[in-house]
Amino acid sequence: MGAQQVADRFAELYGARPEGVWAAPGRVNLIGEHTDYNDGFVMPFALPHQAVAAVSRRTDGVLRLHSADIEGGITELRLDDLAPGGDHDWTAYPAGVVWALREAGHGITGADVHLASTVPTGAGLSSSAALEVVIALALDDLYGLGLKPWRLARLCQRAENVYVGVPTGIMDQTASACCEAGHALFLDTRDLSQRQIPFDLAAAGLRLLVVDTQVKHAHSGGEYGKRRAGCEKGAALLGVDALRDIPYDGLDAALARLGDEEEVVPLVRHIVTENERVERTVALLRAGDPRAIGPVLTEGHASLRDDFRISCPELDLVVDTALAGGALGARMTGGGFGGSAIVLAEATEVDTLTKSVEEAFAAAGLTAPRVFEAVPSAGARRLA
């Protein structure tokens, strides 16, 4: 899906060439799951799969939206009518970004937009963040707002939290806006400080596979909100601003203080240990030992499955089958309750592992998974 193709379709829809074409990628989170809304550490990298938007400005207070991926014609919205909670369709994501920009005082006067995306939806690969970030970047460029990528990510998060009504953290939007090709992004979600960590698995003879289970998840579902509320309750009971403030070597004491809070204890344990796993992964990669992160990934899956309780049989089947077949490590990635798992493997074992996972799904009577290599790619950028 190239810029020219999207621009040509824009011209067919709106009767004129777009002022530009922009792209923003989906992401894979290598390690650091559900830590972002706890002020913790995350480590995503961008995928080559991306949302592409052809956009032109308007001056009449109208936003017109069209998607190549959704059946239907052009949706027309008036900027003055945009309000949180009023839109439950896909258009809430781009409209929410326009709303957030205007709420922040930026003089957006309208736009024509045509979108197309190759980021799988419902797969835990941040298709919604890619959609938000590409709109924010396009409007930033067209209206000369001069916003830094991290600031665009913040505004996109506000759009998703307030306008769409999904309580996500900052990781997905920051990954889409800020990642660099060949690197994973070590992000401190409290102060938004970033470090680009070299992540060239191919040079080490390794591959990272994404296995999309085809089980759709929805962040707006109640279970995600329950986990977030439980983490906030744990922080309040422990007298800290966020679970980030509980040190790894103080975890046992913290859990003892929580006593019989059966719902909260495992959530706290996951967040504190997951932050430590992110820091351990960073250290291993910086030391040039990417194979050693495999067991860390697997530890993370066990924690997400047993403590945070957001895995599902299909995700567990991927992880168990891959590990039994000789993978170096595997874990679910993303919000959970479906979506994708990642598998770290020797390059020579990719075909065998892929076949093993596909056969395991067939034997269980499940829909065939989608398997592809995750290549650390560039963040949001202008294409034309």
Side-chain angles (χ1 to χ4, degrees):
M1 182 184 59
Q4 187 65 46
Q5 179 183 352
V6 177
D8 288 346
R9 181 60 175 141
F10 179 100
E12 293 174 6
L13 290 163
Y14 297 115
R17 303 297 297 177
E19 291 186 79
V21 181
W22 292 261
R27 65 96 189 98
V28 164
N29 192 25
L30 181 64
I31 194 77
E33 218 63 80
H34 288 263
T35 49
D36 59 344
Y37 56 79
N38 289 284
D39 284 1
F41 305 124
V42 295
M43 200 174 184
F45 62 90
L47 288 168
H49 306 73
Q50 57 191 8
V52 178
V55 185
S56 288
R57 288 168 290 183
R58 298 179 64 93
T59 59
D60 58 357
V62 170
L63 174 65
R64 295 197 293 180
L65 301 168
H66 185 270
S67 171
D69 310 305
I70 306 292
E71 288 190 12
I74 296 169
T75 298
E76 184 170 312
L77 304 168
R78 293 205 60 81
L79 300 192
D80 289 343
D81 295 336
L82 299 181
D87 186 351
H88 302 288
D89 205 349
W90 71 270
T91 52
Y93 293 95
V97 171
V98 175
W99 171 85
L101 285 165
R102 283 164 55 87
E103 283 285 298
H106 301 294
I108 309 299
T109 57
D112 287 337
V113 178
H114 171 59
L115 290 151
S117 179
T118 57
V119 185
T121 59
L125 303 175
S126 297
S127 58
S128 60
L131 181 56
E132 293 157 358
V133 170
V134 75
I135 296 298
L137 180 61
L139 295 177
D140 176 67
D141 276 0
L142 289 175
Y143 283 93
L145 305 181
L147 298 173
K148 299 289 188 183
W150 69 266
R151 178 61 178 153
L152 289 177
R154 273 291 193 204
L155 287 166
C156 290
Q157 182 199 16
R158 176 168 169 76
E160 188 152 347
N161 289 172
V162 180
Y163 193 92
V164 182
V166 181
T168 54
I170 190 62
M171 175 183 66
D172 295 348
Q173 293 84 1
T174 303
S176 186
C178 301
C179 279
E180 295 181 3
H183 293 76
L185 179 69
F186 177 38
L187 173 67
D188 182 332
T189 64
R190 169 164 284 171
D191 62 13
L192 298 187
S193 60
Q194 304 176 16
R195 273 194 284 165
Q196 300 287 345
I197 307 299
F199 192 52
D200 187 358
L201 293 179
L206 302 175
R207 297 290 187 273
L208 190 74
L209 301 178
V210 174
V211 182
D212 177 4
T213 64
Q214 307 283 359
V215 177
K216 302 300 183 183
H217 77 154
H219 269 173
S220 53
E223 291 301 316
Y224 183 95
K226 287 179 184 178
R227 300 305 187 279
R228 182 162 185 163
C231 290
E232 291 170 352
K233 180 180 179 181
L237 290 171
L238 293 168
V240 294
D241 291 336
L243 293 181
R244 148 74 174 274
D245 296 313
I246 304 300
Y248 180 68
D249 59 8
L251 175 59
D252 289 344
L255 296 182
R257 288 170 56 198
L258 290 172
D260 59 357
E261 292 284 347
E262 294 181 359
E263 289 299 312
V264 174
V265 165
L267 302 183
V268 173
R269 182 165 51 231
H270 168 72
I271 297 301
V272 175
T273 58
E274 186 79 344
N275 278 324
E276 188 274 339
R277 281 187 284 272
V278 177
E279 293 184 291
R280 207 180 340 152
T281 299
V282 171
L284 290 169
L285 290 177
R286 288 174 67 87
D289 194 5
R291 280 177 176 77
I293 73 172
V296 187
L297 302 182
T298 305
E299 286 176 31
H301 183 76
S303 182
L304 289 162
R305 181 192 64 211
D306 300 335
D307 278 345
F308 226 66
R309 303 184 302 282
I310 59 170
S311 189
C312 67
E314 293 84 355
L315 289 168
D316 293 340
L317 181 60
V318 174
V319 171
D320 293 344
T321 303
L323 294 174
L328 299 172
R331 75 171 190 92
M332 58 154 285
T333 186
F337 310 107
S340 300
I342 55 176
V343 177
L344 181 67
E346 301 287 350
T348 54
E349 299 298 319
V350 165
D351 290 344
T352 300
L353 286 170
T354 299
K355 183 178 179 182
S356 295
V357 170
E358 291 172 343
E359 289 177 345
F361 269 59
L366 299 171
T367 300
R370 179 185 182 212
V371 185
F372 59 90
E373 183 182 348
V375 179
S377 301
R381 62 210 182 277
R382 185 167 186 160
L383 299 180

